[in-house]
């Protein structure tokens, strides 16, 4: 087994039990790419404690279970060769303790698949505690979540201007403060994620009972995600209704690789945003493609879907069903707000880390300020007086090597690492169909654009965005895209939620769509059935 400290030092977990199952699915969306030493040190304990605090608040865990285990294999998540993976067995154990859901349902909602050999083993032992605590948590959370998110936004704007003048001690204190705030928002966000999954499952159940299976995608549209605000404000920026400074004050914590502390945000480099301005400037205020028009259209879609659902529901059940759909929509909006919340803490922490890096360069500890991300977070907080250049060189080389590998979507025991250059890329032939999760309804055809970096491609109107996974930095592409296809995720993943908010078809959880669909192929995406078909194999582009 691997101790947590060993994992934080080596950025890998070895000796996992042969019967233990892991997945890169939903975790890869939150933390895409390879961790640096600083990044993992900052987020690991905060996230692990957030899980445990949240489950205690819901009554699922006892007070004795609110502690980070000594061994990485006993945690809710870990890293393997720098890549994050979730412990499926831990999440199934939690689901088995909770009323109103099953381990298989949670596995499907969070990770987009269920292993056929698994068995649900529900236990009633914690039910009295859950029934005593969870309803109150459910009622109080929306208001608490809104208040905490507003405070994080205020705190970020207050802290960022101060950081440039900080000394090392102040930088260390700021990083520690950001960690604590990250844990706080994560502890609520994780609960929101679990509850929203359970609520979405109930919505699907009532749709099926009303003989309208599949209606849940429309019922979960138009919920008012914070991602809508990014699209709305980007349009406003393009039409000179707000300034670039106003935009970055509101959304500058987003950017390429934003799920990693070493990423460069729009606040630091707005070039990715400015590159999309013309796309948004061409959209008139009264165009149905305008972000606010799309949001209104999706709200109307949800309203019609609710009417259809209620029409097929016995009259005496309609008030309860309507309340369920309303509550689910509220929690889905909170789910995206929570992601934005922890990214706010990341933005302050990365700014303080870079300032610390500059100070260490001045003292001859580092050669480059960016090298700070290859130092341990706890070492920075306690103070560093020894030359770190050799350690940084070794870790940086290992970081670059790990960027060239991939882990499987799921595995039992130890993962089989695959080098990117050696990945199988059997292209889909004309007429061949790829299947995934029907995540956002609608059928459309368009040119596939296989994208690795959201800043490294130009999409034409109606192109089909094909990628491994998405985060908020991809939102500027969604308004141009005619549809979205992702390798990872389920109905409640980031890409599907944004696709539903903007009213474009989405098929997620295809596993290998970004490797089998060729850039430039013409594809038909059916977001109602969860299928992608190649209808023209001619290619006029090279992979982005």
């Amino acid at each position: 087994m691997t101790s947590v400290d060993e994992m934080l030092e080596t950025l890998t977990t070895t000796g996992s039990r042969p019967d233990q199952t892991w997945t890169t699915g939903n975790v890869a969306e939150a933390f895409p790419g390879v961790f640096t030493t600083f990044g993992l040190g900052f987020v690991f304990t905060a996230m692990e404690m957030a899980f445990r605090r949240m489950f205690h608040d819901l009554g699922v865990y006892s007070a004795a279970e609110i502690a980070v285990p000594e061994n990485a294999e006993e945690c809710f998540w870990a890293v393997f060769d720098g890549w994050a993976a979730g412990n499926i067995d831990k999440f199934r154990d939690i689901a088995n303790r909770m009323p109103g859901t099953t381990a298989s349902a949670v596995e499907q909602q969070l990770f987009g698949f269920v292993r056929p050999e698994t068995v649900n083993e529900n236990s009633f032992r914690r039910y009295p505690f859950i029934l005593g605590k969870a309803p109150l948590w459910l009622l109080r959370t929306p208001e608490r979540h809104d208040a905490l998110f507003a405070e994080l936004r205020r705190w970020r704007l207050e802290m960022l201007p101060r950081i440039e003048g900080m000394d090392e001690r102040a930088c260390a204190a700021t990083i520690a403060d950001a960690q604590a705030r990250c844990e706080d928002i994560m502890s609520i966000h994780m609960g929101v994620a679990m509850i929203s999954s359970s609520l979405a499952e109930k919505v699907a159940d009532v749709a099926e009972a009303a003989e309208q299976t599949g209606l849940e995608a429309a019922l979960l549209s138009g919920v008012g995600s914070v991602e809508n605000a990014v699209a709305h404000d980007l349009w406003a920026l393009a039409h000179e209704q707000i300034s670039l400074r106003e935009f970055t004050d509101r959304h500058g914590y987003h950017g390429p690789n934003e799920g990693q502390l070493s990423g460069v945000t729009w606040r630091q480099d707005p070039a990715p945003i400015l590159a999309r301005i013309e796309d948004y400037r061409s959209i008139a205020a009264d165009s149905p493609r305008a972000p606010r028009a799309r949001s209104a259209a999706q709200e109307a879609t949800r309203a019609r879907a609710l009417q259809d659902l209620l029409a097929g529901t016995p009259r005496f059940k309609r008030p309860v069903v309507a309340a369920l759909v309303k509550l689910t929509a509220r929690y889905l909006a909170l789910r995206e707000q929570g992601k934005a919340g922890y990214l706010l803490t990341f933005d302050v922490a990365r700014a303080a880390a870079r300032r610390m890096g500059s100070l260490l360069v001045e003292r001859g500890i580092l050669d480059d300020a960016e090298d700070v991300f290859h130092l341990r977070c706890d070492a920075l907080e306690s103070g560093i007086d020894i030359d770190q250049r050799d350690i940084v060189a070794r870790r940086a080389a290992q970081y670059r090597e790990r960027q060239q590998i991939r882990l499987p979507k799921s595995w039992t025991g130890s993962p089989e690492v695959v080098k990117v250059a050696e990945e199988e890329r059997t292209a889909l032939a004309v007429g061949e169909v790829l299947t995934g999760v029907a995540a956002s309804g609608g059928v459309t055809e368009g040119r596939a654009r296989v994208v690795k970096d959201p800043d490294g491609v130009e999409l034409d109107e109606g192109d089909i965005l094909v990628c491994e996974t998405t985060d908020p930095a991809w939102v500027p592409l969604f308004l141009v895209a005619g549809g979205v296809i992702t390798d990872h995720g389920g109905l409640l993943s980031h890409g599907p939620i944004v696709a539903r908010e903007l009213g474009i078809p989405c098929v997620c959880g295809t596993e290998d769509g970004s490797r089998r669909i060729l850039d430039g192929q013409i594809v038909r995406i059916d977001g109602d059935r969860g299928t992608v078909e190649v209808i023209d194999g001619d290619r006029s582009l090279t992979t982005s």
Side-chain angles (χ1 to χ4, degrees):
M1 301 187 82
T2 305
S3 71
V4 168
D5 188 68
E6 288 173 332
M7 183 190 68
L8 294 176
E9 178 65 27
T10 64
L11 272 62
T12 197
T13 303
T14 58
S16 180
R17 295 194 319 269
D19 62 341
Q20 189 166 15
T21 304
W22 301 84
T23 180
T24 55
N26 208 263
V27 183
E29 181 183 311
F31 307 117
V34 180
F35 273 100
T36 61
T37 301
F38 174 82
L40 182 63
F42 176 87
V43 78
F44 182 79
T45 298
M47 186 171 174
E48 185 66 24
M49 282 297 293
F51 275 122
R52 293 170 182 277
R53 283 174 53 186
M54 174 267 293
F55 287 127
H56 177 259
D57 289 344
L58 289 172
V60 181
Y61 264 1
S62 67
E65 294 174 288
I66 312 178
V68 177
E70 291 185 5
N71 295 316
E73 292 86 350
E74 297 171 4
C75 295
F76 280 94
W77 72 298
V79 292
F80 295 79
D81 288 303
W83 294 81
N87 186 339
I88 292 184
D89 298 332
K90 292 293 292 185
F91 284 99
R92 289 187 63 93
D93 175 61
I94 290 297
N96 281 328
R97 300 187 188 198
M98 296 178 68
T101 190
T102 64
S104 294
V106 168
E107 187 171 335
Q108 176 67 48
Q109 289 284 359
L110 289 179
F111 305 118
F113 67 94
V114 178
R115 293 162 292 157
E117 71 275 13
T118 56
V119 177
N120 295 322
E121 299 176 339
N122 289 68
S123 167
F124 304 101
R125 182 171 56 88
R126 296 296 303 177
Y127 279 21
F129 302 96
I130 295 170
L131 295 176
K133 298 176 75 172
L136 191 60
W137 185 97
L138 188 71
L139 292 173
R140 289 180 174 177
T141 288
E143 185 175 337
R144 288 176 56 220
H145 204 289
D146 287 344
L148 183 52
F149 182 67
E151 167 58 19
L152 287 173
R153 292 177 69 95
R154 182 206 62 77
W155 166 76
R156 170 180 172 268
L157 292 178
E158 178 185 290
M159 293 301 300
L160 287 175
R162 298 180 181 179
I163 290 173
E164 189 57 36
M166 287 183 177
D167 59 16
E168 289 181 40
R169 180 173 297 182
C171 286
T174 300
I175 292 169
D177 182 28
Q179 275 184 300
R181 291 173 185 267
C182 180
E183 182 181 320
D184 286 343
I185 187 65
M186 279 283 198
S187 69
I188 304 179
H189 172 60
M190 296 302 174
V192 167
M194 292 291 293
I195 295 298
S196 60
S197 294
S198 180
L199 291 172
E201 178 191 351
K202 297 304 178 190
V203 170
D205 288 344
V206 297
E208 184 177 4
E211 297 184 350
Q212 299 196 58
T213 300
L215 189 64
E216 59 270 20
L219 291 166
L220 301 180
S221 300
V223 301
S225 164
V226 294
E227 309 302 351
N228 287 23
V230 176
H232 297 165
D233 285 348
L234 186 52
W235 184 91
L237 175 63
H239 289 262
E240 300 181 347
Q241 295 180 2
I242 62 173
S243 68
L244 180 60
R245 176 60 184 271
E246 287 176 300
F247 182 87
T248 55
D249 278 353
R250 297 175 190 175
H251 312 294
Y253 53 91
H254 292 311
N257 202 28
E258 64 185 23
Q260 296 293 342
L261 270 293
S262 56
V264 176
T265 62
W266 295 336
R267 167 183 59 81
Q268 298 166 274
D269 179 12
I273 288 300
L274 298 177
R276 304 291 173 201
I277 289 296
E278 289 304 318
D279 290 337
Y280 283 70
R281 188 172 290 144
S282 65
I283 302 173
D286 58 356
S287 169
R289 294 173 51 219
R292 293 197 182 280
R294 290 190 179 209
S295 295
Q298 289 310 103
E299 290 175 13
T301 294
R302 181 161 64 90
R304 288 194 300 271
L306 179 58
Q307 290 179 348
D308 292 342
L309 177 66
L310 295 179
T313 301
R315 187 176 298 274
F316 72 94
K317 290 184 178 181
R318 290 176 185 176
V320 174
V321 169
L324 170 66
V325 173
K326 181 178 179 180
L327 184 64
T328 305
R330 179 75 166 106
Y331 265 80
L332 284 184
L334 290 179
R335 187 182 178 108
E336 293 305 295
Q337 186 186 75
K339 291 179 182 179
Y342 69 72
L343 290 174
L344 290 167
T345 71
F346 280 20
D347 202 32
V348 172
R350 64 165 55 93
R354 286 192 165 102
R355 169 62 179 164
M356 178 84 85
S358 297
L359 295 172
L360 293 176
V361 169
E362 291 177 9
R363 290 204 290 120
I365 302 295
L366 298 175
D367 282 334
D368 188 292
E370 291 296 304
D371 291 342
V372 72
F373 293 109
H374 294 296
L375 301 181
R376 285 190 59 150
C377 184
D378 51 4
L380 285 175
E381 292 178 357
S382 61
I384 295 178
D385 293 315
I386 301 173
D387 190 315
Q388 299 292 303
R389 285 174 286 197
D390 288 344
I391 293 174
V392 165
R394 174 172 52 81
R395 289 175 177 167
Q398 190 173 57
Y399 174 76
R400 289 190 294 271
E401 290 176 5
R402 287 171 170 170
Q403 287 180 308
Q404 303 306 312
I405 65 172
R406 294 291 185 271
L407 301 182
K409 183 175 181 179
S410 64
W411 67 89
T412 300
S414 298
E416 227 179 276
V417 174
V418 177
K419 292 184 178 180
V420 173
E422 299 173 358
E423 284 184 306
E424 292 187 14
R425 296 177 180 270
T426 305
L428 290 174
V430 174
E432 195 168 357
V433 176
L434 191 67
T435 302
V437 177
S440 180
V443 180
T444 191
E445 298 175 2
R447 179 183 61 169
R449 296 308 316 271
V450 183
V451 181
K452 303 297 182 185
D453 178 359
D455 298 328
V457 66
E458 289 294 331
L459 259 65
D460 291 335
E461 179 69 23
D463 282 349
I464 308 301
L465 175 61
V466 184
C467 55
E468 291 185 11
T469 188
T470 70
D471 59 37
W474 292 72
V475 171
L477 293 178
F478 275 68
L479 200 62
V480 180
V484 179
I485 302 165
T486 66
D487 294 353
H488 305 304
L491 189 66
L492 302 187
S493 295
H494 173 267
I497 289 176
V498 177
R500 289 195 297 272
E501 290 301 288
L502 295 177
I504 58 177
C506 177
V507 174
C508 66
T510 62
E511 297 193 25
D512 56 3
S514 69
R515 296 191 298 278
R516 299 194 62 202
I517 297 171
L518 301 180
D519 202 42
Q521 285 183 320
I522 307 301
V523 300
R524 179 184 294 114
I525 173 174
D526 188 332
D528 298 306
R529 298 173 56 205
T531 61
V532 179
E533 180 182 0
V534 175
I535 58 177
D536 188 341
D538 291 341
R539 302 177 63 202
S540 57
L541 300 165
T542 56
T543 302
S544 302

